[in-house]
C-alpha cells in the first residue's frame, strides 16, 4: 500500500469503485497481520494494488522486484478511485449495513487522510447532544437530590456523613422479622416464575383481609394490585388517570413522588396547604378553593410524610365531603398506618366514603421495617362503576410490567398476619417513640427553631426563623450544614413547601447518635447566618 501511495481508506474506496465491499475493520485486521484475507478478498486487494494475490497470502519475496514498474499505474488507479468516491459522496447513501461491512468512506479529503482517526481529531460535523426529556424540567425529588450527591462526594473523600435524610430503617438497626425471612427462604423455590400481574393469590388475599379490618368497603381480589413498593403504583395511577392539563390536588408539604409522577404523566399538580398551626392538618378551605373543572382527584398522605401528622375522623369527613361535592377520586397514601403513637387512631378515609371511588396505598417498607424487599399494594374500593375505564388502564399498565417482585409478595401473608414488631417500637419505651421524644425536645431548645410534635412515622419537620438566620435559599442551608457538621437532611422546599423555612429530620438513629447530631445542630444555629 505504501509503495502504491495508498492508505487504508484509499484501498476501501478503490474497491468500492469496482463494485466490491471492504470494511475498515477488515482492512485493519489484514494490515496488522491478525487475519489473512480469503482468496476472493486477496484477489480483489491484489487487483487494486496491482500485485499478485499469492504474494499477499504467502509473502513471496520474488514478487517485490516485479512491483516497481506497476507503481505508477497503481497511483493512477488510486487517484481515479478518489475522484469516483468524491462524486459518490453527493449521491444517496446505500441502506445501513452491518457493522462488519463499513460504507465506502465519503468524508472530505482532509478527513480521509486521517486513517485510522485519532480520538482528538476534529469532526466534520458537531457531535449530537442527548438531553434529558423536557418532561423532567419541573420534576423535583430532593430526598435523593443535589445535596445527597454532594454528601456522596464527601464520603468518597473518606468523610463520615450522618444521614438523616431518608427513611431507611435497616442501616439503623431495624431488622426484618426473623419469621418473615424464614418464610421467604422456604418459598423461594416456588417464586421463580411470574405471578398474575395483580399479584400472588396469597398476598392479595391477606391484603383483602387487612382491608376488611380497616373497614374499607367493596373490596375484592381483582381490586388489589401489588407493586414494587408503593412508588411504582403511584406512577401507574398517575399515568392511567391524567391527560395533559388535568389537575390533581396534592398536599403541601407532600411526599415529592406524588408531584413528580403527576407531572411526568402530563398532569398539573395543584398544592393545597397543610396548616402548621393546626397540627399540620389539611386546610379544607384552601383545598376547596383550588378545585377547578379540570380537577380529577385529590391526594392525602395519612399518616403524613414529612410532618408526622395523623388526621382525625372529623378532618377526614370534611375531605370526603369536598370530594363528594366535586365528584373527585381520592388517593390515600397510608404507608405509615401502623407507626402511630400517643393513642392516636389511624382511620382509612376509604372507610368513610363507600359512595366514592378510592385508591388506598400501603406496604411493608415502613410499617413493617422491610424497606429493601420493595413490596407495596393498592386497594381500589367504593363506587367502582364511575372508574371502570381507569381500572382498565391500570390493568393494562400492570400487564405491561408483567408482575411485581414475586419473592417479596410471598411474605405479605406472614407480615400482615404474624407478630407485629412495630407495636413495641411505637409504644412508650420503644425505640421509635423514645427517639421521637428526644429529637422533639432537643429541637425545642434550639433558639430560632420551632416544631410541631409528630404523632406517627419517623420524621419531624421543624421550622426555621429565616429572618434570624438570613435564610433565603434552603438548599444552600442544607449544603452549609452538610459541609460544616457532616449532617445530611432534606430541605423543606424539597417537599413542595412554598417557603425556605423548614427541613426534615429522620429520627431513626439510636438516641446516642441523635444526641450528637442535636448538639451539632445547636452549635451550627448558634452562629449560622446565610450569606
Amino acid at each position: 500500500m505504501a509503495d502504491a501511495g495508498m492508505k487504508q481508506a484509499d484501498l476501501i474506496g478503490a474497491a468500492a469503485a469496482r463494485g466490491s465491499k471492504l470494511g475498515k475493520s477488515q482492512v485493519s485486521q489484514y494490515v496488522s497481520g491478525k487475519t489473512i484475507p480469503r482468496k476472493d478478498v486477496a484477489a480483489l486487494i491484489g487487483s487494486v494494488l496491482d500485485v499478485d494475490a499469492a504474494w499477499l497470502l504467502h509473502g513471496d519475496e520474488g514478487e517485490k522486484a516485479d512491483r516497481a514498474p506497476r507503481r505508477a499505474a497503481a497511483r493512477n488507479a488510486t487517484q481515479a478511485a478518489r475522484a469516483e468516491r468524491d462524486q459518490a459522496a453527493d449521491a444517496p447513501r446505500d441502506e445501513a449495513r452491518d457493522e462488519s461491512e463499513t460504507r465506502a468512506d465519503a468524508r472530505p479529503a482532509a478527513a480521509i487522510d486521517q486513517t485510522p482517526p485519532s480520538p482528538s481529531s476534529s469532526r466534520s460535523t458537531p457531535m449530537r447532544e442527548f438531553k434529558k426529556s423536557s418532561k423532567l424540567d419541573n420534576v423535583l425529588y430532593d430526598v435523593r437530590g443535589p445535596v445527597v450527591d454532594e454528601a456522596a462526594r464527601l464520603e468518597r473523600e473518606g468523610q463520615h456523613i450522618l444521614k438523616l435524610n431518608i427513611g431507611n430503617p435497616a442501616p439503623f438497626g431495624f431488622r426484618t422479622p426473623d419469621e418473615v425471612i424464614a418464610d421467604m427462604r422456604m418459598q423461594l423455590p416456588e417464586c421463580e416464575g411470574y405471578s398474575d400481574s395483580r399479584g400472588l393469590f396469597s398476598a392479595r388475599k391477606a391484603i383483602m383481609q387487612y382491608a376488611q379490618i380497616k373497614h374499607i368497603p367493596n373490596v375484592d381480589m381483582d381490586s388489589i394490585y401489588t407493586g414494587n413498593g408503593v412508588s411504582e403504583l403511584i406512577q401507574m395511577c398517575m399515568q392511567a388517570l391524567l391527560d395533559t392539563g388535568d389537575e390533581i390536588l396534592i398536599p403541601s408539604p407532600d411526599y415529592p413522588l406524588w408531584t413528580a409522577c403527576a407531572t411526568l404523566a402530563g398532569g398539573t399538580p395543584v398544592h393545597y396547604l397543610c396548616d402548621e398551626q393546626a397540627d399540620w392538618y389539611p386546610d379544607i378551605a384552601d383545598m376547596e378553593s383550588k378545585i377547578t373543572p379540570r380537577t380529577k382527584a385529590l391526594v392525602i398522605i395519612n399518616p403524613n410524610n414529612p410532618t408526622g401528622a395523623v388526621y382525625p375522623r372529623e378532618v377526614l369527613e370534611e375531605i370526603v365531603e369536598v370530594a363528594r361535592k366535586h365528584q373527585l377520586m381520592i388517593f390515600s397514601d397510608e404507608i405509615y398506618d401502623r407507626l402511630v403513637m400517643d393513642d392516636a387512631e389511624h382511620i382509612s378515609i376509604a372507610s368513610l366514603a363507600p359512595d366514592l371511588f378510592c385508591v388506598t396505598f400501603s406496604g411493608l417498607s415502613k410499617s413493617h421495617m422491610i424497606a429493601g424487599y420493595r413490596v407495596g399494594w393498592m386497594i381500589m374500593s367504593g363506587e367502582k362503576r364511575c372508574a371502570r375505564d381507569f381500572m382498565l388502564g391500570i390493568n393494562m399498565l400492570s400487564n405491561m410490567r408483567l408482575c411485581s417482585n414475586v419473592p417479596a409478595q410471598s411474605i405479605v401473608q406472614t407480615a400482615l398476619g404474624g407478630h407485629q414488631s412495630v407495636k413495641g417500637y411505637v409504644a412508650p419505651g420503644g425505640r421509635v417513640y423514645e427517639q421521637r421524644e428526644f429529637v422533639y425536645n432537643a429541637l425545642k431548645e434550639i433558639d430560632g427553631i420551632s416544631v410541631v410534635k409528630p404523632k406517627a412515622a419517623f420524621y419531624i419537620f421543624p421550622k426555621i426563623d429565616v429572618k434570624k438566620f438570613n435564610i433565603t435559599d434552603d438548599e444552600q442551608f442544607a449544603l452549609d450544614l452538610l459541609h460544616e457538621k457532616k449532617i445530611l437532611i432534606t430541605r423543606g422546599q424539597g417537599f413542595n413547601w412554598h417557603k425556605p423555612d423548614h427541613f426534615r429530620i429522620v429520627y431513626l438513629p439510636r438516641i446516642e447518635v441523635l444526641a450528637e447530631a442535636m448538639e451539632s445542630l445547636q452549635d451550627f444555629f448558634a452562629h449560622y447566618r446565610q450569606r
Side-chain angles (χ1 to χ4, degrees):
M1 285 171 56
D3 290 342
M6 299 178 72
K7 296 181 180 294
Q8 292 183 32
D10 300 327
L11 180 62
I12 294 167
R18 296 172 182 232
S20 300
K21 304 171 185 175
L22 281 177
K24 290 182 180 179
S25 59
Q26 290 176 282
V27 175
S28 296
Q29 293 284 314
Y30 302 153
V31 171
S32 66
K34 293 180 179 179
T35 60
I36 298 174
R38 302 189 310 270
K39 287 186 178 181
D40 57 331
V41 177
L44 170 63
I45 295 173
S47 66
V48 172
L49 296 177
D50 199 19
V51 297
D52 193 314
W55 174 81
L56 286 175
L57 294 173
H58 303 293
D60 184 357
E61 290 296 326
E63 178 64 17
K64 292 181 180 179
D66 297 328
R67 287 183 297 176
R70 293 179 289 204
R71 289 174 182 167
R75 291 192 185 97
N76 291 337
T78 299
Q79 293 171 358
R82 284 175 175 166
E84 289 189 40
R85 186 169 64 255
D86 292 341
Q87 184 178 3
D90 298 325
R93 302 286 190 199
D94 292 335
E95 292 184 0
R97 302 187 181 98
D98 188 88
E99 288 185 3
S100 63
E101 295 181 351
T102 308
R103 304 173 195 166
D105 194 337
R107 293 175 297 167
I112 292 173
D113 292 336
Q114 298 175 8
T115 305
S118 67
S120 61
S121 61
S122 59
R123 299 176 59 88
S124 57
T125 57
M127 180 174 285
R128 179 181 179 183
E129 183 179 358
F130 296 93
K131 297 184 177 181
K132 66 178 174 63
S133 166
S134 59
K135 291 183 291 185
L136 292 167
D137 288 347
N138 297 312
V139 172
L140 176 74
Y141 193 74
D142 270 17
V143 175
R144 293 189 176 185
V147 182
V148 178
D149 293 340
E150 175 63 7
R153 185 189 69 79
L154 294 174
E155 283 188 316
R156 288 193 297 270
E157 293 180 352
Q159 301 188 50
H160 173 71
I161 305 298
L162 177 57
K163 298 176 182 176
L164 304 181
N165 67 307
I166 191 166
N168 188 16
F172 302 107
F174 292 93
R175 311 306 304 177
T176 300
D178 292 340
E179 181 186 17
V180 170
I181 296 173
D183 278 18
M184 176 177 277
R185 284 176 177 157
M186 290 293 293
Q187 295 180 85
L188 275 176
E190 283 75 50
C191 295
E192 293 183 354
Y194 299 128
S195 73
D196 182 285
S197 65
R198 289 179 173 87
L200 292 172
F201 176 87
S202 63
R204 288 185 291 136
K205 186 70 172 181
I207 295 164
M208 186 177 75
Q209 291 170 340
Y210 184 62
Q212 291 168 346
I213 293 171
K214 303 287 285 186
H215 306 292
I216 298 177
N218 195 20
V219 176
D220 54 42
M221 295 285 285
D222 290 341
S223 304
I224 297 169
Y225 288 80
T226 61
N228 296 301
V230 168
S231 301
E232 180 188 46
L233 299 171
I234 292 172
Q235 187 171 22
M236 196 182 296
C237 285
M238 297 300 98
Q239 290 174 335
L241 178 68
L242 298 174
D243 286 319
T244 301
D246 285 344
E247 295 175 358
I248 181 168
L249 290 168
I250 298 174
S252 175
D254 72 341
Y255 180 59
L257 184 79
W258 279 101
T259 298
C261 288
T263 301
L264 283 171
T268 301
V270 178
H271 293 100
Y272 64 85
L273 294 178
C274 295
D275 186 356
E276 189 169 15
Q277 302 303 312
D279 288 333
W280 285 115
Y281 298 159
D283 184 329
I284 304 299
D286 186 66
M287 177 189 289
E288 189 160 20
S289 72
K290 291 176 176 174
I291 295 173
T292 74
R294 307 259 1 213
T295 308
K296 278 191 169 181
L298 67 83
V299 175
I300 70 166
I301 303 171
N302 176 41
N304 188 265
N305 174 13
T307 67
V310 181
Y311 302 159
R313 179 181 294 271
E314 55 270 23
V315 170
L316 294 172
E317 288 174 341
E318 288 185 83
I319 295 171
V320 168
E321 190 54 41
V322 169
R324 184 177 289 128
K325 178 180 177 181
H326 297 278
Q327 299 187 50
L328 303 179
M329 184 187 300
I330 297 175
F331 292 110
S332 184
D333 186 342
E334 301 181 1
I335 191 72
Y336 300 95
D337 67 337
R338 294 195 178 191
L339 286 165
V340 175
M341 295 171 275
D342 301 334
D343 297 322
E345 178 189 11
H346 177 265
I347 300 170
S348 288
I349 194 170
S351 69
L352 307 176
D355 58 323
L356 301 178
F357 182 71
C358 300
V359 185
T360 304
F361 300 85
S362 194
L364 303 182
S365 296
K366 311 299 184 180
S367 292
H368 290 75
M369 305 294 188
I370 309 175
Y373 289 29
R374 306 306 297 135
V375 55
W377 58 80
M378 64 180 175
I379 303 166
M380 291 180 279
S381 67
E383 179 52 76
K384 298 176 186 175
R385 289 176 298 177
C386 63
R388 286 172 181 165
D389 202 50
F390 167 79
M391 294 171 71
L392 285 174
I394 289 292
N395 201 54
M396 180 186 299
L397 292 170
S398 179
N399 288 336
M400 286 168 60
R401 56 93 203 235
L402 297 179
C403 67
S404 65
N405 183 328
V406 179
Q409 292 181 53
S410 73
I411 64 171
V412 171
Q413 187 175 41
T414 299
L416 286 179
H419 171 67
Q420 302 301 304
S421 58
V422 302
K423 288 184 178 179
Y425 292 145
V426 297
R431 273 196 61 187
V432 173
Y433 180 94
E434 296 301 333
Q435 288 163 196
R436 178 204 61 168
E437 291 291 293
F438 178 84
V439 168
Y440 170 68
N441 289 319
L443 286 169
K444 285 197 306 179
E445 297 301 316
I446 299 177
D447 188 28
I449 300 294
S450 59
V451 62
V452 175
K453 191 174 188 177
K455 294 184 178 179
F458 30 69
Y459 310 109
I460 194 164
F461 200 56
K463 182 177 182 178
I464 312 168
D465 183 341
V466 292
K467 291 183 179 180
K468 176 179 176 63
F469 303 110
N470 194 39
I471 293 176
T472 58
D473 183 340
D474 60 354
E475 183 175 291
Q476 186 59 52
F477 152 70
L479 285 168
D480 292 340
L481 178 62
L482 174 66
H483 288 142
E484 182 175 331
K485 296 299 184 180
K486 306 302 181 289
I487 296 175
L488 177 60
I489 52 88
T490 307
R491 67 190 183 112
Q493 288 187 313
F495 299 97
N496 292 292
W497 184 245
H498 57 291
K499 294 180 181 179
D501 61 352
H502 282 77
F503 63 101
R504 190 189 73 170
I505 288 177
V506 177
Y507 53 81
L508 283 170
R510 294 188 180 275
I511 285 181
E512 53 268 28
V513 178
L514 291 172
E516 183 179 343
M518 292 301 104
E519 184 178 340
S520 295
L521 203 61
Q522 187 166 32
D523 180 68
F524 176 82
F525 280 116
H527 67 269
Y528 182 69
R529 298 294 181 277
Q530 191 170 95
R531 296 180 181 178

